[in-house]
Amino acid sequence: LLGCGCSIQEKNAILKHISRVKGGQLRRAIDPARCVPTVGDSSTLEDCRAVVRKYQLENRLPGSVRAHLLSSAVDEKGKETPKKGDKLFRDDVIKIVASNSLAVAAAVRKAEALGFRTLNLGSHIEGDAVEVGTAMAGILKSVKLNGIPSAPPVAIICGGETTMKLPDKPGLGGRNQALALSAMRAIAGMRGVAILSGGTDGGDGPKHDAAGAVVVGPDFNRAQELGLEYDNAMKSADSYNF
């Protein structure tokens, strides 16, 4: 799902419908106990089927998942996740204590304490990771060359969920590393700039020993000196090994 380019909302819709825990499923399983933090699901089984059709996943999903989502079984209702307003949640109280927006706000406070001006772009950045990386590098160029939208020293901070479309035989690396690798060439040779892209869950891609990556202006030229093949790494989605 992460490799086909679907959005985080589309991915989560499917994950909730094939899980016994996500999307309120755990709450249903332990009812009437009330000790589990879970909420009703806004996505539907038909939403999942639309994602499968949109990204042509029919022949790429495991057989058990395909059968569960696409079969027209009599027990259709039993496959649907519980929704907001369901009696399961009638007495539950939900409070969000950690989120991407809170992480962004904390980063802003830390940057300001370190003496930076800050520009908070919010926590809803979406799009292809490679394209977002190039766009972020463009903002840094504007800051460095023109003092727009703010003069240095400034920390531009944002969060969100990027996506990727992987080649048939991808290398290693997640969306954050791909974003950083994309930005690397765009800021090549620039001094006094850095781009850090990291996952708040501490893992990025199939090898979770890296949460993301940080790149600075001299990195691209240094990579060339070391004989690293930037274009191949980008084409094969092999940011981790690069």
Side-chain angles (χ1 to χ4, degrees):
L1 290 171
L2 287 175
C4 73
C6 69
S7 70
I8 190 68
Q9 293 84 3
E10 292 170 326
K11 175 180 78 84
N12 284 342
I14 290 182
L15 293 184
K16 286 183 286 188
H17 280 82
I18 62 174
S19 170
R20 292 181 178 177
V21 175
K22 301 176 186 293
Q25 306 278 32
L26 183 58
R27 184 70 175 82
R28 173 186 280 163
I30 62 136
D31 188 59
R34 295 183 54 216
C35 61
V36 177
T38 181
V39 297
D41 181 22
S42 60
S43 67
T44 66
L45 192 58
E46 186 51 44
D47 291 335
C48 298
R49 291 167 175 165
V51 173
V52 172
R53 292 192 296 267
K54 178 179 178 181
Y55 296 98
Q56 300 179 337
L57 299 173
E58 292 90 341
N59 297 321
R60 298 171 62 187
L61 294 173
S64 58
V65 173
R66 185 168 60 249
H68 181 75
L69 294 178
L70 304 182
S71 65
S72 56
V74 176
D75 188 23
E76 190 87 346
K77 186 176 181 180
K79 295 181 179 182
E80 192 54 89
T81 50
K83 308 304 178 191
K84 182 178 179 181
D86 191 293
K87 65 180 181 179
L88 283 172
F89 310 110
R90 58 190 176 278
D91 298 319
D92 291 0
V93 177
I94 302 297
K95 182 177 177 62
I96 297 175
V97 297
S99 68
N100 194 268
S101 59
L102 290 175
V104 168
V108 167
R109 290 194 298 271
K110 182 63 175 179
E112 291 173 344
L114 292 172
F116 288 92
R117 284 185 284 273
T118 58
L119 181 61
N120 185 346
L121 301 183
S123 59
H124 299 284
I125 302 297
E126 296 182 357
D128 182 88
V130 171
E131 295 176 359
V132 172
T134 302
M136 293 299 169
I139 295 174
L140 285 190
K141 283 183 179 180
S142 180
V143 167
K144 189 70 174 176
L145 300 176
N146 307 112
I148 298 173
S150 179
V154 60
I156 300 171
I157 300 170
C158 61
E161 287 282 356
T162 59
T163 57
M164 287 185 70
K165 190 166 185 179
L166 296 177
D168 291 336
K169 296 181 179 180
L172 293 175
R175 295 168 289 166
N176 290 288
Q177 292 165 77
L179 188 156
L181 187 61
S182 170
M184 179 191 291
R185 178 151 59 184
I187 63 171
M190 297 179 66
R191 297 286 178 177
V193 299
I195 292 181
L196 181 150
S197 182
T200 52
D201 63 358
D204 185 48
K207 289 184 71 65
H208 273 214
D209 58 343
V214 58
V215 294
V216 294
D219 282 346
F220 182 76
N221 292 335
R222 177 61 176 157
Q224 289 186 312
E225 293 171 0
L226 293 172
L228 300 179
E229 298 183 1
Y230 179 88
D231 289 333
N232 284 345
M234 288 291 295
K235 185 177 180 180
S236 60
D238 198 25
S239 55
Y240 178 87
N241 287 313
F242 187 91

